Short mmCIF file of all heavy atoms in Angstrom, two decimals:
data_model
loop_
_atom_site.label_atom_id
_atom_site.label_comp_id
_atom_site.label_asym_id
_atom_site.label_seq_id
_atom_site.Cartn_x
_atom_site.Cartn_y
_atom_site.Cartn_z
N HIS X 1 -92.05 -122.94 -87.58
CA HIS X 1 -92.33 -123.09 -86.15
C HIS X 1 -92.43 -124.59 -85.87
O HIS X 1 -93.24 -125.29 -86.49
CB HIS X 1 -93.65 -122.41 -85.79
CG HIS X 1 -93.67 -120.95 -86.15
ND1 HIS X 1 -93.39 -119.96 -85.25
CD2 HIS X 1 -93.92 -120.33 -87.34
CE1 HIS X 1 -93.49 -118.78 -85.85
NE2 HIS X 1 -93.79 -118.99 -87.13
N LEU X 2 -91.60 -125.08 -84.97
CA LEU X 2 -91.54 -126.51 -84.66
C LEU X 2 -92.04 -126.73 -83.23
O LEU X 2 -91.50 -126.15 -82.28
CB LEU X 2 -90.10 -127.01 -84.79
CG LEU X 2 -89.46 -126.83 -86.17
CD1 LEU X 2 -87.97 -127.09 -86.11
CD2 LEU X 2 -90.14 -127.74 -87.18
N ILE X 3 -93.06 -127.57 -83.09
CA ILE X 3 -93.66 -127.82 -81.78
C ILE X 3 -93.25 -129.21 -81.28
O ILE X 3 -93.50 -130.21 -81.96
CB ILE X 3 -95.18 -127.68 -81.84
CG1 ILE X 3 -95.56 -126.27 -82.32
CG2 ILE X 3 -95.80 -127.98 -80.47
CD1 ILE X 3 -97.05 -126.06 -82.55
N GLU X 4 -92.63 -129.23 -80.12
CA GLU X 4 -92.20 -130.48 -79.51
C GLU X 4 -93.39 -131.20 -78.87
O GLU X 4 -94.40 -130.58 -78.60
CB GLU X 4 -91.13 -130.19 -78.44
CG GLU X 4 -89.86 -129.63 -79.06
CD GLU X 4 -88.76 -129.40 -78.04
OE1 GLU X 4 -89.06 -128.89 -76.94
OE2 GLU X 4 -87.62 -129.73 -78.36
N PRO X 5 -93.24 -132.53 -78.62
CA PRO X 5 -92.03 -133.32 -78.87
C PRO X 5 -91.85 -133.68 -80.34
O PRO X 5 -92.82 -133.86 -81.06
CB PRO X 5 -92.27 -134.58 -78.04
CG PRO X 5 -93.76 -134.71 -77.98
CD PRO X 5 -94.30 -133.31 -77.98
N MET X 6 -90.57 -133.73 -80.75
CA MET X 6 -90.24 -134.11 -82.12
C MET X 6 -89.57 -135.49 -82.09
O MET X 6 -89.03 -135.89 -81.07
CB MET X 6 -89.30 -133.08 -82.74
CG MET X 6 -89.96 -131.71 -82.90
SD MET X 6 -88.93 -130.52 -83.77
CE MET X 6 -87.75 -130.07 -82.53
N GLY X 7 -89.60 -136.17 -83.20
CA GLY X 7 -89.02 -137.51 -83.29
C GLY X 7 -87.53 -137.50 -83.55
O GLY X 7 -86.96 -138.52 -83.93
N PHE X 8 -86.86 -136.36 -83.33
CA PHE X 8 -85.44 -136.21 -83.62
C PHE X 8 -84.95 -134.95 -82.94
O PHE X 8 -85.73 -134.13 -82.46
CB PHE X 8 -85.21 -136.09 -85.14
CG PHE X 8 -86.06 -135.02 -85.76
CD1 PHE X 8 -85.62 -133.71 -85.84
CD2 PHE X 8 -87.34 -135.32 -86.23
CE1 PHE X 8 -86.41 -132.72 -86.38
CE2 PHE X 8 -88.14 -134.33 -86.77
CZ PHE X 8 -87.67 -133.03 -86.84
N GLN X 9 -83.64 -134.78 -82.92
CA GLN X 9 -83.04 -133.54 -82.43
C GLN X 9 -82.79 -132.63 -83.62
O GLN X 9 -82.43 -133.08 -84.69
CB GLN X 9 -81.71 -133.84 -81.71
CG GLN X 9 -81.88 -134.68 -80.45
CD GLN X 9 -82.72 -133.97 -79.41
OE1 GLN X 9 -82.53 -132.80 -79.12
NE2 GLN X 9 -83.69 -134.69 -78.86
N ILE X 10 -82.94 -131.35 -83.41
CA ILE X 10 -82.84 -130.38 -84.51
C ILE X 10 -81.45 -130.35 -85.12
O ILE X 10 -81.28 -129.96 -86.27
CB ILE X 10 -83.28 -128.98 -84.02
CG1 ILE X 10 -83.75 -128.14 -85.21
CG2 ILE X 10 -82.19 -128.27 -83.26
CD1 ILE X 10 -85.02 -128.61 -85.82
N ASN X 11 -80.44 -130.78 -84.41
CA ASN X 11 -79.09 -130.74 -84.95
C ASN X 11 -78.67 -132.04 -85.64
O ASN X 11 -77.53 -132.19 -86.02
CB ASN X 11 -78.09 -130.38 -83.84
CG ASN X 11 -78.12 -131.39 -82.71
OD1 ASN X 11 -78.86 -132.36 -82.76
ND2 ASN X 11 -77.32 -131.14 -81.68
N GLU X 12 -79.59 -132.97 -85.77
CA GLU X 12 -79.25 -134.25 -86.39
C GLU X 12 -78.77 -134.06 -87.83
O GLU X 12 -79.26 -133.20 -88.55
CB GLU X 12 -80.46 -135.19 -86.40
CG GLU X 12 -80.61 -135.95 -85.11
CD GLU X 12 -81.72 -136.99 -85.19
OE1 GLU X 12 -82.01 -137.47 -86.30
OE2 GLU X 12 -82.28 -137.31 -84.14
N LYS X 13 -77.83 -134.87 -88.21
CA LYS X 13 -77.27 -134.81 -89.57
C LYS X 13 -78.36 -134.93 -90.64
O LYS X 13 -78.29 -134.27 -91.66
CB LYS X 13 -76.27 -135.95 -89.77
CG LYS X 13 -74.92 -135.69 -89.18
CD LYS X 13 -73.97 -136.77 -89.63
CE LYS X 13 -73.19 -137.26 -88.43
NZ LYS X 13 -72.43 -138.46 -88.69
N GLN X 14 -79.36 -135.78 -90.40
CA GLN X 14 -80.40 -136.00 -91.41
C GLN X 14 -81.16 -134.72 -91.72
O GLN X 14 -81.49 -134.46 -92.86
CB GLN X 14 -81.39 -137.05 -90.91
CG GLN X 14 -80.81 -138.44 -90.80
CD GLN X 14 -81.73 -139.33 -89.99
OE1 GLN X 14 -82.00 -139.06 -88.83
NE2 GLN X 14 -82.21 -140.39 -90.61
N VAL X 15 -81.44 -133.92 -90.68
CA VAL X 15 -82.17 -132.66 -90.90
C VAL X 15 -81.31 -131.73 -91.73
O VAL X 15 -81.76 -131.15 -92.70
CB VAL X 15 -82.54 -131.99 -89.56
CG1 VAL X 15 -83.16 -130.63 -89.79
CG2 VAL X 15 -83.48 -132.87 -88.77
N LYS X 16 -80.07 -131.59 -91.35
CA LYS X 16 -79.17 -130.69 -92.07
C LYS X 16 -78.94 -131.19 -93.50
O LYS X 16 -78.87 -130.40 -94.42
CB LYS X 16 -77.86 -130.53 -91.32
CG LYS X 16 -78.10 -129.78 -90.02
CD LYS X 16 -76.83 -129.33 -89.36
CE LYS X 16 -77.22 -128.44 -88.19
NZ LYS X 16 -76.27 -128.37 -87.16
N ARG X 17 -78.84 -132.50 -93.67
CA ARG X 17 -78.62 -133.04 -95.01
C ARG X 17 -79.83 -132.76 -95.88
O ARG X 17 -79.70 -132.36 -97.04
CB ARG X 17 -78.38 -134.55 -94.93
CG ARG X 17 -77.97 -135.15 -96.26
CD ARG X 17 -77.71 -136.64 -96.19
NE ARG X 17 -76.82 -136.99 -95.11
CZ ARG X 17 -77.05 -137.96 -94.23
NH1 ARG X 17 -78.16 -138.67 -94.31
NH2 ARG X 17 -76.19 -138.22 -93.29
N ALA X 18 -81.04 -132.94 -95.35
CA ALA X 18 -82.24 -132.68 -96.14
C ALA X 18 -82.40 -131.20 -96.45
O ALA X 18 -82.90 -130.84 -97.52
CB ALA X 18 -83.47 -133.21 -95.41
N GLY X 19 -81.97 -130.33 -95.54
CA GLY X 19 -82.07 -128.90 -95.77
C GLY X 19 -80.86 -128.37 -96.51
O GLY X 19 -80.80 -127.20 -96.88
N LEU X 20 -79.88 -129.25 -96.73
CA LEU X 20 -78.64 -128.91 -97.40
C LEU X 20 -77.98 -127.71 -96.75
O LEU X 20 -77.94 -127.60 -95.54
CB LEU X 20 -78.89 -128.71 -98.91
CG LEU X 20 -79.39 -129.95 -99.62
CD1 LEU X 20 -79.78 -129.65 -101.04
CD2 LEU X 20 -78.33 -131.06 -99.59
N ASP X 21 -77.46 -126.80 -97.53
CA ASP X 21 -76.72 -125.68 -96.95
C ASP X 21 -77.64 -124.50 -96.61
O ASP X 21 -77.18 -123.42 -96.33
CB ASP X 21 -75.63 -125.22 -97.92
CG ASP X 21 -76.17 -124.85 -99.29
OD1 ASP X 21 -77.33 -125.22 -99.59
OD2 ASP X 21 -75.44 -124.21 -100.05
N TYR X 22 -78.95 -124.75 -96.59
CA TYR X 22 -79.90 -123.68 -96.33
C TYR X 22 -80.27 -123.56 -94.85
O TYR X 22 -80.86 -122.57 -94.45
CB TYR X 22 -81.19 -123.91 -97.13
CG TYR X 22 -80.99 -123.80 -98.61
CD1 TYR X 22 -80.58 -124.89 -99.36
CD2 TYR X 22 -81.20 -122.59 -99.26
CE1 TYR X 22 -80.40 -124.79 -100.73
CE2 TYR X 22 -81.02 -122.47 -100.62
CZ TYR X 22 -80.63 -123.57 -101.35
OH TYR X 22 -80.44 -123.45 -102.69
N TRP X 23 -80.00 -124.55 -94.04
CA TRP X 23 -80.50 -124.59 -92.67
C TRP X 23 -80.06 -123.37 -91.87
O TRP X 23 -80.83 -122.84 -91.07
CB TRP X 23 -80.06 -125.89 -91.99
CG TRP X 23 -80.87 -126.17 -90.77
CD1 TRP X 23 -80.48 -126.04 -89.48
CD2 TRP X 23 -82.24 -126.62 -90.71
NE1 TRP X 23 -81.50 -126.38 -88.63
CE2 TRP X 23 -82.59 -126.73 -89.36
CE3 TRP X 23 -83.19 -126.93 -91.69
CZ2 TRP X 23 -83.85 -127.14 -88.94
CZ3 TRP X 23 -84.46 -127.34 -91.26
CH2 TRP X 23 -84.76 -127.45 -89.91
N ASP X 24 -78.84 -122.87 -92.09
CA ASP X 24 -78.36 -121.70 -91.35
C ASP X 24 -79.08 -120.41 -91.75
O ASP X 24 -79.02 -119.41 -91.06
CB ASP X 24 -76.85 -121.54 -91.49
CG ASP X 24 -76.41 -121.28 -92.93
OD1 ASP X 24 -77.12 -121.73 -93.85
OD2 ASP X 24 -75.37 -120.64 -93.12
N LYS X 25 -79.79 -120.44 -92.88
CA LYS X 25 -80.54 -119.26 -93.34
C LYS X 25 -82.00 -119.32 -92.91
O LYS X 25 -82.77 -118.40 -93.16
CB LYS X 25 -80.46 -119.16 -94.86
CG LYS X 25 -79.06 -118.92 -95.39
CD LYS X 25 -79.03 -119.04 -96.90
CE LYS X 25 -77.65 -118.83 -97.47
NZ LYS X 25 -76.68 -119.83 -97.06
N LEU X 26 -82.38 -120.41 -92.25
CA LEU X 26 -83.77 -120.64 -91.87
C LEU X 26 -84.14 -119.85 -90.61
O LEU X 26 -83.43 -119.89 -89.61
CB LEU X 26 -84.00 -122.13 -91.62
CG LEU X 26 -85.37 -122.56 -91.15
CD1 LEU X 26 -86.44 -122.22 -92.18
CD2 LEU X 26 -85.38 -124.06 -90.86
N ASP X 27 -85.26 -119.14 -90.67
CA ASP X 27 -85.83 -118.45 -89.52
C ASP X 27 -86.78 -119.44 -88.84
O ASP X 27 -87.87 -119.70 -89.36
CB ASP X 27 -86.57 -117.20 -90.01
CG ASP X 27 -87.24 -116.42 -88.90
OD1 ASP X 27 -87.21 -116.86 -87.73
OD2 ASP X 27 -87.81 -115.36 -89.20
N TYR X 28 -86.34 -120.04 -87.73
CA TYR X 28 -87.20 -121.03 -87.07
C TYR X 28 -87.22 -120.84 -85.56
O TYR X 28 -86.31 -120.28 -84.97
CB TYR X 28 -86.80 -122.45 -87.44
CG TYR X 28 -85.53 -122.96 -86.81
CD1 TYR X 28 -85.56 -123.72 -85.64
CD2 TYR X 28 -84.29 -122.71 -87.39
CE1 TYR X 28 -84.40 -124.19 -85.07
CE2 TYR X 28 -83.12 -123.18 -86.83
CZ TYR X 28 -83.18 -123.93 -85.66
OH TYR X 28 -82.02 -124.39 -85.10
N THR X 29 -88.30 -121.32 -84.96
CA THR X 29 -88.49 -121.28 -83.52
C THR X 29 -88.98 -122.65 -83.07
O THR X 29 -89.79 -123.27 -83.77
CB THR X 29 -89.55 -120.21 -83.14
OG1 THR X 29 -89.16 -118.97 -83.71
CG2 THR X 29 -89.67 -120.07 -81.63
N VAL X 30 -88.50 -123.10 -81.92
CA VAL X 30 -88.94 -124.37 -81.35
C VAL X 30 -89.77 -124.07 -80.10
O VAL X 30 -89.39 -123.22 -79.29
CB VAL X 30 -87.73 -125.27 -80.99
CG1 VAL X 30 -88.20 -126.57 -80.35
CG2 VAL X 30 -86.90 -125.55 -82.24
N TYR X 31 -90.88 -124.76 -79.96
CA TYR X 31 -91.80 -124.57 -78.84
C TYR X 31 -91.89 -125.86 -78.03
O TYR X 31 -91.84 -126.95 -78.59
CB TYR X 31 -93.20 -124.20 -79.34
CG TYR X 31 -93.20 -122.95 -80.19
CD1 TYR X 31 -92.95 -123.03 -81.56
CD2 TYR X 31 -93.41 -121.70 -79.64
CE1 TYR X 31 -92.94 -121.89 -82.36
CE2 TYR X 31 -93.40 -120.56 -80.42
CZ TYR X 31 -93.16 -120.66 -81.77
OH TYR X 31 -93.14 -119.54 -82.55
N GLU X 32 -92.10 -125.72 -76.72
CA GLU X 32 -92.19 -126.89 -75.83
C GLU X 32 -93.47 -127.70 -76.07
O GLU X 32 -93.49 -128.90 -75.84
CB GLU X 32 -92.18 -126.44 -74.37
CG GLU X 32 -90.85 -125.88 -73.91
CD GLU X 32 -90.92 -125.41 -72.47
OE1 GLU X 32 -91.90 -125.73 -71.75
OE2 GLU X 32 -89.98 -124.72 -72.06
N SER X 33 -94.54 -127.00 -76.50
CA SER X 33 -95.84 -127.66 -76.64
C SER X 33 -96.76 -126.78 -77.48
O SER X 33 -96.45 -125.62 -77.76
CB SER X 33 -96.47 -127.86 -75.26
OG SER X 33 -96.70 -126.58 -74.66
N TYR X 34 -97.91 -127.32 -77.84
CA TYR X 34 -98.90 -126.55 -78.57
C TYR X 34 -99.39 -125.34 -77.74
O TYR X 34 -99.45 -124.23 -78.28
CB TYR X 34 -100.06 -127.46 -78.99
CG TYR X 34 -101.17 -126.76 -79.73
CD1 TYR X 34 -100.95 -126.16 -80.98
CD2 TYR X 34 -102.45 -126.69 -79.20
CE1 TYR X 34 -101.97 -125.51 -81.65
CE2 TYR X 34 -103.48 -126.04 -79.87
CZ TYR X 34 -103.22 -125.46 -81.10
OH TYR X 34 -104.24 -124.83 -81.78
N PRO X 35 -99.68 -125.51 -76.43
CA PRO X 35 -100.05 -124.34 -75.63
C PRO X 35 -98.93 -123.28 -75.60
O PRO X 35 -99.22 -122.07 -75.62
CB PRO X 35 -100.32 -124.91 -74.24
CG PRO X 35 -100.73 -126.32 -74.49
CD PRO X 35 -99.89 -126.76 -75.68
N ASP X 36 -97.68 -123.70 -75.57
CA ASP X 36 -96.56 -122.75 -75.60
C ASP X 36 -96.57 -121.98 -76.93
O ASP X 36 -96.39 -120.76 -76.96
CB ASP X 36 -95.24 -123.51 -75.42
CG ASP X 36 -94.01 -122.60 -75.47
OD1 ASP X 36 -94.07 -121.48 -74.94
OD2 ASP X 36 -92.98 -123.03 -76.05
N PHE X 37 -96.81 -122.68 -78.03
CA PHE X 37 -96.90 -122.02 -79.34
C PHE X 37 -98.02 -120.97 -79.35
O PHE X 37 -97.81 -119.84 -79.79
CB PHE X 37 -97.14 -123.06 -80.45
CG PHE X 37 -97.57 -122.45 -81.74
CD1 PHE X 37 -96.67 -121.82 -82.57
CD2 PHE X 37 -98.91 -122.48 -82.12
CE1 PHE X 37 -97.07 -121.22 -83.77
CE2 PHE X 37 -99.33 -121.89 -83.31
CZ PHE X 37 -98.40 -121.26 -84.12
N LEU X 38 -99.21 -121.34 -78.85
CA LEU X 38 -100.33 -120.40 -78.82
C LEU X 38 -100.02 -119.19 -77.95
O LEU X 38 -100.32 -118.06 -78.33
CB LEU X 38 -101.59 -121.10 -78.31
CG LEU X 38 -102.20 -122.18 -79.23
CD1 LEU X 38 -103.39 -122.83 -78.55
CD2 LEU X 38 -102.57 -121.61 -80.59
N ALA X 39 -99.40 -119.43 -76.81
CA ALA X 39 -99.07 -118.33 -75.88
C ALA X 39 -98.07 -117.36 -76.49
O ALA X 39 -98.15 -116.15 -76.27
CB ALA X 39 -98.54 -118.89 -74.57
N ARG X 40 -97.13 -117.88 -77.27
CA ARG X 40 -96.08 -117.04 -77.85
C ARG X 40 -96.46 -116.42 -79.19
O ARG X 40 -95.72 -115.61 -79.74
CB ARG X 40 -94.78 -117.84 -77.96
CG ARG X 40 -94.20 -118.13 -76.57
CD ARG X 40 -93.12 -119.17 -76.57
NE ARG X 40 -91.96 -118.85 -77.38
CZ ARG X 40 -90.97 -119.69 -77.62
NH1 ARG X 40 -90.99 -120.91 -77.08
NH2 ARG X 40 -89.95 -119.33 -78.37
N ASN X 41 -97.63 -116.79 -79.71
CA ASN X 41 -98.13 -116.22 -80.97
C ASN X 41 -99.60 -115.82 -80.80
O ASN X 41 -100.48 -116.33 -81.49
CB ASN X 41 -97.97 -117.24 -82.11
CG ASN X 41 -96.52 -117.55 -82.39
OD1 ASN X 41 -95.84 -116.76 -83.04
ND2 ASN X 41 -96.04 -118.67 -81.88
N PRO X 42 -99.87 -114.89 -79.88
CA PRO X 42 -101.26 -114.52 -79.61
C PRO X 42 -101.93 -113.91 -80.84
O PRO X 42 -101.32 -113.16 -81.58
CB PRO X 42 -101.15 -113.50 -78.47
CG PRO X 42 -99.76 -112.95 -78.58
CD PRO X 42 -98.91 -114.08 -79.13
N GLY X 43 -103.18 -114.31 -81.06
CA GLY X 43 -103.94 -113.76 -82.19
C GLY X 43 -103.54 -114.30 -83.54
O GLY X 43 -103.98 -113.79 -84.56
N ALA X 44 -102.71 -115.33 -83.57
CA ALA X 44 -102.27 -115.89 -84.85
C ALA X 44 -103.46 -116.46 -85.62
O ALA X 44 -104.30 -117.15 -85.06
CB ALA X 44 -101.24 -116.99 -84.61
N LYS X 45 -103.53 -116.14 -86.91
CA LYS X 45 -104.56 -116.72 -87.78
C LYS X 45 -104.00 -118.03 -88.31
O LYS X 45 -103.05 -118.04 -89.11
CB LYS X 45 -104.87 -115.75 -88.93
CG LYS X 45 -105.87 -116.27 -89.91
CD LYS X 45 -107.26 -116.39 -89.30
CE LYS X 45 -108.27 -116.79 -90.36
NZ LYS X 45 -109.61 -116.92 -89.85
N ILE X 46 -104.52 -119.15 -87.82
CA ILE X 46 -103.96 -120.47 -88.12
C ILE X 46 -104.90 -121.26 -89.02
O ILE X 46 -106.09 -121.41 -88.72
CB ILE X 46 -103.71 -121.27 -86.82
CG1 ILE X 46 -102.83 -120.47 -85.85
CG2 ILE X 46 -103.07 -122.62 -87.14
CD1 ILE X 46 -102.77 -121.07 -84.45
N TYR X 47 -104.35 -121.76 -90.12
CA TYR X 47 -105.06 -122.68 -91.00
C TYR X 47 -104.44 -124.05 -90.78
O TYR X 47 -103.21 -124.20 -90.83
CB TYR X 47 -104.93 -122.26 -92.46
CG TYR X 47 -105.60 -120.95 -92.73
CD1 TYR X 47 -104.88 -119.76 -92.67
CD2 TYR X 47 -106.97 -120.89 -93.01
CE1 TYR X 47 -105.50 -118.55 -92.89
CE2 TYR X 47 -107.59 -119.67 -93.24
CZ TYR X 47 -106.86 -118.50 -93.18
OH TYR X 47 -107.46 -117.29 -93.38
#
């Protein structure tokens, strides 16, 4: 789960290079903000 703002765009070469050929297998979600994350994951047990 990635919460914006981020210091890069998710499609940047550096991200894909670091994740190698695994990025297309990644289950990920991008959120506009921390409140957006909380709203979309109600009751989440967060450490």
Side-chain angles (χ1 to χ4, degrees):
H1 303 263
L2 301 168
I3 301 174
E4 295 183 317
M6 295 186 284
F8 52 89
Q9 295 298 313
I10 204 69
N11 59 2
E12 276 187 27
K13 281 189 226 170
Q14 292 166 299
V15 174
K16 292 192 172 155
R17 188 179 310 131
L20 297 173
D21 56 345
Y22 293 86
W23 197 254
D24 63 332
K25 296 171 181 64
L26 177 62
D27 179 355
Y28 73 95
T29 306
V30 178
Y31 303 87
E32 291 178 13
S33 62
Y34 179 64
D36 179 38
F37 166 76
L38 292 177
R40 290 167 60 187
N41 295 282
K45 178 68 175 181
I46 305 169
Y47 295 93

